Amino acid sequence: MNQQLPSDDELIPRLLAHDEAAYTQVVSAYHGLMVHLARAIVGAAIADEVAQEAWLAVIKALPRFERRSSLKTWILRIVSNTAKTRLRHESRTVSLEDTLGDQANIDPSQFNTSGRWASPPTVWHADTPDDLLASQELRACIDTTLRALPHLQRAALTLRDMQGLDMESICKVLEVSESNGRVLLHRARNRIQAAIEEFYQ
């Protein structure tokens, strides 16, 4: 859905000049991703509300945007911070230490140098009604596992594997170090892989 946007050099002055077409382009390009990220941190019930709050914060803060990152990364960081603030207000926040847990549980051999699974789950084809039912059951299993992940792990997995952001941008959005960002992602992938393997067993 991400349409081709003008460069930040062209887009930001237009946004600052209250160019309605520029705002429409940015909203069209980023709103879905913002909701997706908000959902990963606060859950589906208030994700749209968090995205709307983030848009208001973006509009308000735009004149002070220092361009130390891309506009997209800056907007996603605002979403992340807005979502984390909502979590704190709802007294459901999880500390980064709790989210990272025991780093010794990560088995580096499960991942290749690009951080992808070295040995992905078994290839499986849905050819029969029973297979199709199993496919729906597997999807439900993965969804349940995703919802159970700590919010920073879920956000890292969402941004990397579902939205294709690079690790540098993800770390800026979530405001974590690169090593912590990789730990978050690896732990989330471990949990998903374990759930898939358990499903097949």
Side-chain angles (χ1 to χ4, degrees), residues 75-199:
I75 288 172
L76 291 177
R77 186 182 306 145
I78 289 174
V79 176
S80 175
N81 288 336
T82 303
K84 289 176 194 174
T85 299
R86 284 297 294 269
L87 268 185
R88 280 193 294 274
H89 286 150
E90 307 211 359
S91 302
R92 292 184 311 203
T93 190
V94 177
S95 72
L96 182 58
E97 290 76 20
D98 291 341
T99 303
L100 293 173
D102 179 7
Q103 296 186 18
N105 288 339
I106 297 173
D107 179 4
S109 69
Q110 289 186 314
F111 304 98
N112 61 27
T113 54
S114 66
R116 299 274 180 199
W117 287 338
S119 177
T122 310
V123 176
W124 164 73
H125 301 282
D127 297 326
T128 69
D130 285 345
D131 289 338
L132 291 170
L133 177 60
S135 171
Q136 292 169 351
E137 291 169 353
L138 175 60
R139 183 174 304 221
C141 171
I142 292 171
D143 287 346
T144 299
T145 305
L146 272 172
R147 284 194 301 273
L149 290 175
H151 71 272
L152 286 178
Q153 287 183 23
R154 192 167 55 241
L157 185 73
T158 297
L159 291 172
R160 184 73 187 101
D161 291 349
M162 298 177 192
Q163 301 298 328
L165 264 67
D166 59 79
M167 281 307 300
E168 182 181 357
S169 297
I170 291 168
C171 293
K172 286 180 180 176
V173 167
L174 299 180
E175 295 181 312
V176 297
S177 69
E178 184 170 344
S179 61
N180 282 348
R182 293 192 183 283
V183 168
L184 290 168
L185 183 59
H186 284 183
R187 287 185 66 82
R189 286 174 171 168
N190 265 343
R191 294 273 296 274
I192 296 295
Q193 183 172 17
I196 292 170
E197 288 173 354
E198 184 177 338
F199 176 85

Side-chain angles (χ1 to χ4, degrees), residues 31 34 38 42 46-61 75 78-79 81-87 89-90:
H31 185 73
M34 292 168 69
V42 298
I46 58 171
D48 285 317
E49 194 176 316
V50 166
Q52 294 298 332
E53 287 178 30
W55 277 122
L56 293 175
V58 165
I59 292 167
K60 186 175 179 181
I75 288 172
I78 289 174
V79 176
N81 288 336
T82 303
K84 289 176 194 174
T85 299
R86 284 297 294 269
L87 268 185
H89 286 150
E90 307 211 359

Side-chain angles (χ1 to χ4, degrees), residues 29-40:
Y30 297 144
H31 185 73
L33 177 55
M34 292 168 69
V35 172
H36 218 77
L37 175 58
R39 189 180 299 127

